[in-house]
């Protein structure tokens, strides 16, 4: 193995015969290194070719890598550049000029969720819906999913440490992507069918690519009210509309009719 160092000079520089493009990436604000180590860039040209380079550091013996990615293009022009950041987020750019150094900064996702708790008071055998609003307020799309935690949390256990189904709650949709500057609506349906009166609680675990708050916990509670006593309510209604006095009057008429019948005999 050769251990000596060699210096190469590019004799094509300044000839104007070939196009090139250098891309520098800034990962500040992401959940990875500021130098964007691990980011892959796919560059496609109008001659049908695609080149891929990855940002690396320290892969050479006795030297470090240039964190900028340099692409030799020959006589071709760039048709598109696809950047895949280490967190899985991708973005595609077109109309990229050649023969220059191009800088791209990572724009983190930012999710705003409201409300942060939802509840419903309802009778037995009813379904009531509540709405969650997931807004993308950052520089890129928010990718999110919602999991359920139906446990009664106590002691050292914390909400969303694990997930389990909440049988009386349906959430639709349970995952999606919200475009930057827009809001997605999620419907949570509280279903008290077949349940006894009482309080039912749980948590919605909203996970996203927001690096500052990747998990938002939403408290959910359903209060099932006991059924109303039908007999008592009917009796109360009868008193309100005056049925009882009418019934007593009818019985009095029958009694008078009976007395008359005896006298006629």
């Amino acid at each position: 193995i050769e251990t000596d160092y060699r210096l190469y000079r590019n004799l094509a520089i300044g000839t104007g015969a070939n196009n090139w493009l250098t891309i520098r990436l800034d990962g500040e604000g992401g959940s990875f290194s500021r130098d964007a180590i691990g980011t892959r860039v796919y560059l496609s040209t109008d001659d049908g070719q695609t080149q891929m380079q990855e940002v690396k550091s320290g892969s050479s013996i006795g030297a470090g890598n240039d964190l900028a990615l340099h692409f030799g293009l020959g006589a071709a022009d760039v048709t598109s550049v696809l950047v895949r950041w280490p967190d899985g987020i991708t973005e595609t750019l077109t109309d990229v000029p050649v023969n220059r150094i191009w800088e791209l900064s990572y724009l983190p996702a930012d999710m705003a969720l409201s409300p942060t708790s939802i509840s419903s008071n309802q009778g037995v055998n009813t379904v009531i819906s509540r709405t969650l609003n997931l807004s993308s307020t950052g520089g890129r799309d928010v990718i999110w999913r919602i999991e359920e935690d139906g446990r009664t949390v106590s002691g050292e256990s914390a909400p969303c440490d694990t997930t389990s189904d909440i049988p009386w709650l349906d959430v639709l949709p349970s995952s999606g992507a919200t475009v930057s500057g827009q809001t997605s609506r999620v419907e949570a349906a509280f279903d008290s069918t077949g349940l006894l009166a009482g309080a039912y609680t749980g948590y919605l675990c909203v996970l996203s690519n927001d690096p500052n708050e990747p998990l938002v916990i939403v408290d959910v509670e359903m209060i099932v009210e006991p059924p109303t006593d039908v007999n008592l309510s009917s009796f109360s209604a009868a008193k309100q509309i005056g049925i009882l006095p009418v019934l007593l009057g009818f019985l009095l008429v029958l009694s008078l009719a009976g007395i008359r019948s005896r006298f006629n005999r």
Side-chain angles (χ1 to χ4, degrees):
I1 301 176
E2 295 182 359
T3 58
D4 58 323
Y5 296 96
R6 297 183 181 184
L7 177 65
Y8 293 89
R9 184 175 64 169
N10 188 351
L11 299 178
I13 293 178
T15 63
N18 298 313
N19 294 329
W20 58 273
L21 182 67
T22 297
I23 299 177
R24 289 177 177 167
L25 300 173
D26 182 0
E28 184 175 6
S31 58
F32 42 87
S33 69
R34 180 174 180 174
D35 293 328
I37 303 299
T39 303
R40 291 188 174 186
V41 175
Y42 299 81
L43 184 147
S44 298
T45 51
D46 57 6
D47 59 359
Q49 302 295 315
T50 298
Q51 301 181 52
M52 189 281 290
Q53 291 193 43
E54 180 177 337
V55 181
K56 298 179 181 179
S57 178
S59 61
S60 300
I61 299 176
N65 293 73
D66 185 359
L67 297 177
L69 304 178
H70 183 83
F71 295 87
L73 308 177
D77 287 318
V78 176
T79 56
S80 67
V81 174
L82 185 149
V83 180
R84 186 181 301 278
W85 299 94
D87 60 359
I89 296 295
T90 62
E91 52 187 303
T92 301
L93 304 127
T94 57
D95 300 323
V96 178
V98 298
N99 301 328
R100 65 186 62 191
I101 298 173
W102 183 64
E103 297 182 353
L104 176 65
S105 298
Y106 179 87
L107 297 176
D110 186 11
M111 182 185 70
L113 177 67
S114 65
T116 55
S117 65
I118 51 176
S119 62
S120 175
N121 285 52
Q122 61 198 79
V124 297
N125 300 325
T126 58
V127 179
I128 294 179
S129 292
R130 295 287 185 262
T131 301
L132 285 174
N133 296 302
L134 291 86
S135 301
S136 176
T137 57
R140 66 173 62 254
D141 299 354
V142 171
I143 300 174
W144 52 269
R145 74 178 189 276
I146 300 177
E147 298 181 357
E148 300 175 1
D149 185 353
R151 301 169 301 134
T152 300
V153 175
S154 61
E156 297 181 355
S157 179
C160 298
D161 273 352
T162 61
T163 57
S164 59
D165 180 57
I166 301 177
W168 44 267
L169 189 70
D170 288 323
V171 177
L172 289 175
S174 59
S175 63
T178 304
V179 177
S180 177
Q182 297 188 12
T183 298
S184 298
R185 291 169 57 92
V186 175
E187 297 297 328
F190 294 78
D191 188 352
S192 63
T193 302
L195 297 180
L196 298 176
Y200 298 83
T201 60
Y203 307 94
L204 291 181
C205 315
V206 184
L207 301 103
S208 73
N209 60 332
D210 183 340
N212 297 315
E213 200 171 13
L215 170 64
V216 178
I217 299 174
V218 178
D219 295 323
V220 293
E221 181 181 40
M222 179 176 65
I223 304 297
V224 180
E225 300 172 348
T228 306
D229 191 324
V230 176
N231 293 330
L232 290 178
S233 63
S234 299
F235 179 73
S236 176
K239 289 200 304 181
Q240 292 178 8
I241 63 177
I243 291 180
L244 188 57
V246 173
L247 181 59
L248 292 175
F250 179 71
L251 292 175
L252 180 59
V253 171
L254 290 179
S255 298
L256 291 176
I259 294 173
R260 287 181 182 179
S261 175
R262 291 179 182 179
F263 278 115
N264 290 336
R265 292 178 183 176

